[in-house]
């Protein structure tokens, strides 16, 4: 994960040096934005972010994820990544095959 949005190189932003140049915001930037964005993530937040990156899953609240999944047809990102175990598949197929 990124340690900080600030660095010793880059453009100046409110007395802090930014690592990444930021485009103009469509709304006024919150006054405490830099402090907020530099706060460390909790272990649960890091795990959720890693899972989102691994699965291509939208990152955010469960409600926002479901909205985004529906909008962009990403349902596969919410399912387990592997096929069912052979024993599970055999039990499911047993009733439908001659």
């Amino acid at each position: 994960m990124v340690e900080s949005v600030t660095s010793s190189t880059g453009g100046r932003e409110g007395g802090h040096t930014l690592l990444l140049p930021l485009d103009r915001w469509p709304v006024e930037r919150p006054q405490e934005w830099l402090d907020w964005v530099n706060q460390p993530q909790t272990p649960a937040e890091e795990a959720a972010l890693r899972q989102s990156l691994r699965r291509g899953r939208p990152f955010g609240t469960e409600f926002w994820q479901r909205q985004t999944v529906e909008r962009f047809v990403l349902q596969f990102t919410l399912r387990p990544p592997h096929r069912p175990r052979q024993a599970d598949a055999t039990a499911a197929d047993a009733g439908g095959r001659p």
Side-chain angles (χ1 to χ4, degrees), residues 79-93:
R79 291 192 292 267
H82 306 304
R83 295 175 68 171
R85 293 177 139 183
Q86 188 66 22
D88 296 341
T90 303
D93 290 339

Side-chain angles (χ1 to χ4, degrees), residues 18 57 66 68 81 98:
L18 293 178
R57 177 181 295 171
R66 294 207 180 276
T68 305

Side-chain angles (χ1 to χ4, degrees), residues 10-89:
R12 284 275 181 201
E13 180 66 30
H16 298 280
T17 305
L18 293 178
L19 178 63
L20 301 171
L22 298 175
D23 207 352
R24 290 176 43 136
W25 285 41
V27 297
E28 188 173 331
R29 185 176 302 153
Q31 191 171 13
E32 301 296 324
W33 175 79
L34 197 55
D35 292 332
W36 178 78
V37 82
N38 281 327
Q39 289 179 1
Q41 288 78 38
T42 65
E45 289 170 329
E46 285 187 16
L49 184 56
R50 282 189 179 102
Q51 187 174 38
S52 279
L53 291 171
R54 244 189 333 268
R55 297 283 300 137
R57 177 181 295 171
F59 179 73
T61 65
E62 186 176 338
F63 176 76
W64 187 86
Q65 283 181 349
R66 294 207 180 276
Q67 273 187 322
T68 305
V69 160
E70 289 297 321
R71 181 175 181 192
F72 295 107
V73 192
L74 297 170
Q75 287 81 358
F76 68 94
T77 67
L78 299 179
R79 291 192 292 267
H82 306 304
R83 295 175 68 171
R85 293 177 139 183
Q86 188 66 22
D88 296 341

